[in-house]
């Protein structure tokens, strides 16, 4: 499995050169929502600062100042930033970084299926015009429910109608299916099943001893789906769902590659919140709780963070207890991608992933990739959308979260496409 996270630069549907007022714009006509792209503007004053403003019909807006080159040209994806809403030196293509740093919050952003982006170019003395391009989002309502009496969730399929790999998408302790991830994967050719495994109709009320047999049933059902053509499916989980995905990958034959985003390489005590420990595992197999690390109840106090509680619980646990709870990554029948955030406020995900890696004397022959993001928090989502507000709840910085969103996603797709 490759370790690079190359830029995904869009060029399909390019309209070629388009002269608007006195500027000549070259850009794609339509791009996918998770796709970065190029936008060049020619016939501008040479070596002059110009302001580029991006706004969308969803109401977000951001601007940067960049300097034209000796030919009067801007390559917006790459030209150095002089000033503006995107930080100077930020290493994400500015065409999409403007979306990440735009006004509005992560929680309020609700783009239409065909979102129009407008890029406008001007100097203090002259207006050089603007152009529109379309970002394509899969319709949030374009899903099917599984035709299985035990399974709860929503299945998103590629708009193209083609067959391809299946991916089981596993949510965290909030108890809500991961629609954003499932939709993003469906846009990339996967049939993605956003499985609901607790907190919904006919499901366990709490995150306590969730049977892996339920996940196995979901995996078998997805593998038989008419739009799935591969011999195995993948699993992608976030937070507690990533812990579940890694564990399921060691036990369920139908699961191949596994992606763990801000997850854990060992099993923890159950419970939807750390304030109400149930005294047993999050998961069960054949009716028996999976070995787990319990919360250190002596560490419970007002104001303690989730990250601190997990760290103190690790210190309180015996070596044998940690070894028993560590997920055997070598038993996963496929590539493994671990995505960690060093400034995760909810739990120390980098350490929790590394514990599982460290059980091996060497990982040279194991298909395991570990991506670490120093200034990112627990909220690492598919690109590209406004990210303001994530840092206040999940940790990291706006810059760190934006870089992680951009950088990790090509590796996610690369890992899951090993199914094809």
């Amino acid at each position: 499995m490759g370790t690079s996270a190359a830029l995904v630069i869009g060029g399909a549907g390019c309209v070629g050169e388009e002269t608007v007022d006195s500027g000549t714009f070259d850009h794609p006509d339509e791009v996918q929502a998770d796709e970065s792209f190029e936008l060049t503007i020619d016939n501008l004053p040479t070596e002059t600062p110009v302001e580029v403003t991006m706004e969308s019909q969803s109401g977000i807006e951001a601007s940067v100042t960049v300097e034209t080159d000796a030919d009067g040209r801007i390559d917006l994806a790459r030209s150095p930033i002089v000033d503006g809403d995107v930080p100077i030196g930020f290493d994400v293509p500015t065409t999409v970084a403007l979306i990440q740093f735009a006004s509005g919050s992560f929680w309020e952003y609700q783009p239409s299926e065909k979102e129009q982006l407008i890029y406008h170019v001007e100097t203090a003395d002259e207006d050089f015009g603007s152009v529109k391009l379309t970002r394509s989002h899969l319709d949030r309502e374009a899903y099917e429910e599984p035709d299985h009496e035990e399974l709860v969730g929503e299945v998103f399929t590629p708009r193209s109608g083609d067959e391809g790999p299946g991916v089981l998408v596993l949510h965290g302790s909030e108890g809500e299916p991961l629609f954003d991830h499932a939709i993003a994967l469906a846009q990339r050719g996967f049939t993605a099943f956003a499985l609901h495994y607790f907190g919904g109709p006919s499901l366990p009320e709490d995150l306590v001893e969730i049977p892996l047999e339920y996940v196995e049933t979901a995996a078998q059902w997805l593998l038989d789906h008419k739009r799935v053509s591969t011999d195995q499916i993948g699993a992608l989980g976030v937070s507690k769902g990533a812990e579940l995905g890694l564990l399921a990958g060691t036990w369920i034959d139908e699961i191949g590659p596994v992606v763990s985003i801000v997850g854990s390489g060992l099993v923890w005590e159950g419970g939807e919140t750390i304030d109400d420990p149930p005294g047993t595992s999050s998961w069960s197999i054949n009716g028996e709780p999976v070995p787990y690390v319990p919360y250190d109840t002596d560490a419970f106090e007002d104001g303690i963070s989730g990250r601190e509680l997990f760290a103190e619980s690790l210190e309180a646990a015996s070596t044998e207890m940690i070894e028993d709870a560590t997920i055997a990554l070598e038993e996963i029948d496929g590539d493994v991608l671990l995505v960690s955030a060093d400034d995760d406020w909810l739990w120390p995900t980098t350490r929790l992933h590394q514990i599982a890696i460290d059980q091996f004397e060497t990982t040279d022959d194991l298909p395991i990739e570990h991506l670490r993001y120093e200034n990112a928090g627990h909220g690492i989502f598919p690109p590209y959308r406004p990210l303001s507000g994530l840092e206040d709840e999940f940790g990291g910085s706006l810059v760190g979260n934006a870089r992680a969103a951009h950088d990790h996603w090509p590796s996610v797709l690369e890992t899951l496409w090993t199914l094809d």
Side-chain angles (χ1 to χ4, degrees):
M1 177 168 54
T3 57
S4 65
L7 300 183
V8 184
I9 299 289
C14 191
V15 298
E17 290 191 351
E18 177 183 2
T19 300
V20 182
D21 295 342
S22 55
T24 301
F25 295 73
D26 190 9
H27 61 92
D29 183 42
E30 184 170 337
V31 297
Q32 303 232 44
D34 67 346
E35 186 178 15
S36 120
F37 55 90
E38 296 183 353
L39 170 60
T40 59
I41 307 105
D42 290 286
N43 296 329
L44 301 172
T46 60
E47 299 178 339
T48 301
V50 298
E51 183 178 48
V52 181
T53 300
M54 182 282 306
E55 57 183 350
S56 84
Q57 64 185 134
S58 61
I60 64 172
E61 182 177 332
S63 64
V64 291
T65 300
V66 295
E67 188 165 302
T68 62
D69 63 18
D71 296 319
R73 189 174 204 256
I74 290 173
D75 177 352
L76 186 59
R78 301 177 179 86
S79 294
I81 296 170
V82 177
D83 194 10
D85 294 316
V86 179
I88 295 172
F90 187 58
D91 54 354
V92 171
T94 305
T95 46
V96 288
L98 283 162
I99 301 170
Q100 295 181 303
F101 287 84
S103 57
S105 78
F106 173 86
W107 314 107
E108 297 171 353
Y109 179 61
Q110 294 183 336
S112 62
E113 186 177 356
K114 297 291 186 180
E115 179 187 22
Q116 297 295 311
L117 298 183
I118 303 171
Y119 291 82
H120 185 85
V121 183
E122 62 183 347
T123 66
D125 301 321
E126 188 172 357
D127 188 330
F128 293 94
S130 60
V131 292
K132 294 181 180 179
L133 61 87
T134 300
R135 288 181 82 216
S136 176
H137 301 260
L138 192 67
D139 183 0
R140 170 64 184 81
E141 301 303 320
Y143 66 87
E144 64 181 77
E145 295 182 354
D147 55 352
H148 191 289
E149 61 182 9
E150 296 180 22
L151 299 176
V152 181
E154 297 180 3
V155 182
F156 296 86
T157 57
R159 186 186 289 118
S160 65
D162 295 336
E163 295 181 354
V167 179
L168 203 58
V169 182
L170 302 168
H171 63 78
S173 60
E174 77 285 351
E176 294 291 336
L178 284 179
F179 301 126
D180 284 349
H181 291 77
I183 288 170
L185 290 173
Q187 284 195 278
R188 285 296 181 178
F190 298 93
T191 291
F193 184 4
L195 183 67
H196 202 177
Y197 59 86
F198 86 93
S202 73
L203 295 174
E205 184 176 343
D206 299 312
L207 181 52
V208 177
E209 294 189 18
I210 303 300
L212 259 70
E213 289 82 359
Y214 176 76
V215 182
E216 183 180 36
T217 298
Q220 293 169 344
W221 178 87
L222 181 58
L223 192 59
D224 289 336
H225 193 281
K226 63 184 179 181
R227 299 285 293 279
V228 174
S229 59
T230 49
D231 295 331
Q232 288 181 308
I233 64 164
L236 179 149
V238 175
S239 193
K240 283 294 287 189
E243 177 187 318
L244 174 58
L246 291 171
L247 181 64
T250 69
W251 190 74
I252 299 172
D253 292 339
E254 288 79 8
I255 294 177
V258 179
V259 175
S260 171
I261 300 175
V262 293
S264 170
L266 68 166
V267 172
W268 282 91
E269 183 172 353
E272 187 174 350
T273 70
I274 60 175
D275 300 322
D276 186 25
T280 188
S281 181
S282 300
W283 327 109
S284 70
I285 297 177
N286 296 325
E288 296 295 326
V290 175
Y292 66 97
V293 177
Y295 297 134
D296 178 17
T297 54
D298 291 339
F300 277 71
E301 59 184 60
D302 292 339
I304 191 171
S305 69
R307 181 186 181 90
E308 292 169 331
L309 175 62
F310 282 100
E312 295 201 22
S313 297
L314 282 176
E315 297 303 320
S318 67
T319 300
E320 181 180 5
M321 187 177 289
I322 291 175
E323 288 178 351
D324 289 345
T326 299
I327 299 170
L329 301 183
E330 76 276 12
E331 295 180 8
I332 296 173
D333 188 19
D335 288 6
V336 177
L337 175 65
L338 309 175
V339 181
S340 295
D342 287 355
D343 194 33
D344 189 325
W345 285 0
L346 272 70
W347 60 3
T349 183
T350 302
R351 182 179 179 187
L352 300 184
H353 276 148
Q354 194 63 43
I355 286 173
I357 295 174
D358 288 346
Q359 69 180 310
F360 310 109
E361 292 184 6
T362 176
T363 57
D364 292 345
D365 298 326
L366 293 172
I368 298 174
E369 180 179 6
H370 189 191
L371 300 179
R372 293 181 53 177
Y373 297 101
E374 182 178 1
N375 297 311
H378 198 72
I380 298 180
F381 290 86
Y384 298 96
R385 59 188 298 165
L387 296 176
S388 177
L390 276 181
E391 70 277 17
D392 297 329
E393 185 166 345
F394 294 137
S397 65
L398 181 55
V399 169
N401 292 332
R403 181 175 290 115
H406 164 77
D407 188 78
H408 89 290
W409 193 243
S411 290
V412 170
L413 299 177
E414 179 184 354
T415 300
L416 296 173
W417 273 116
T418 58
L419 288 162
D420 197 24

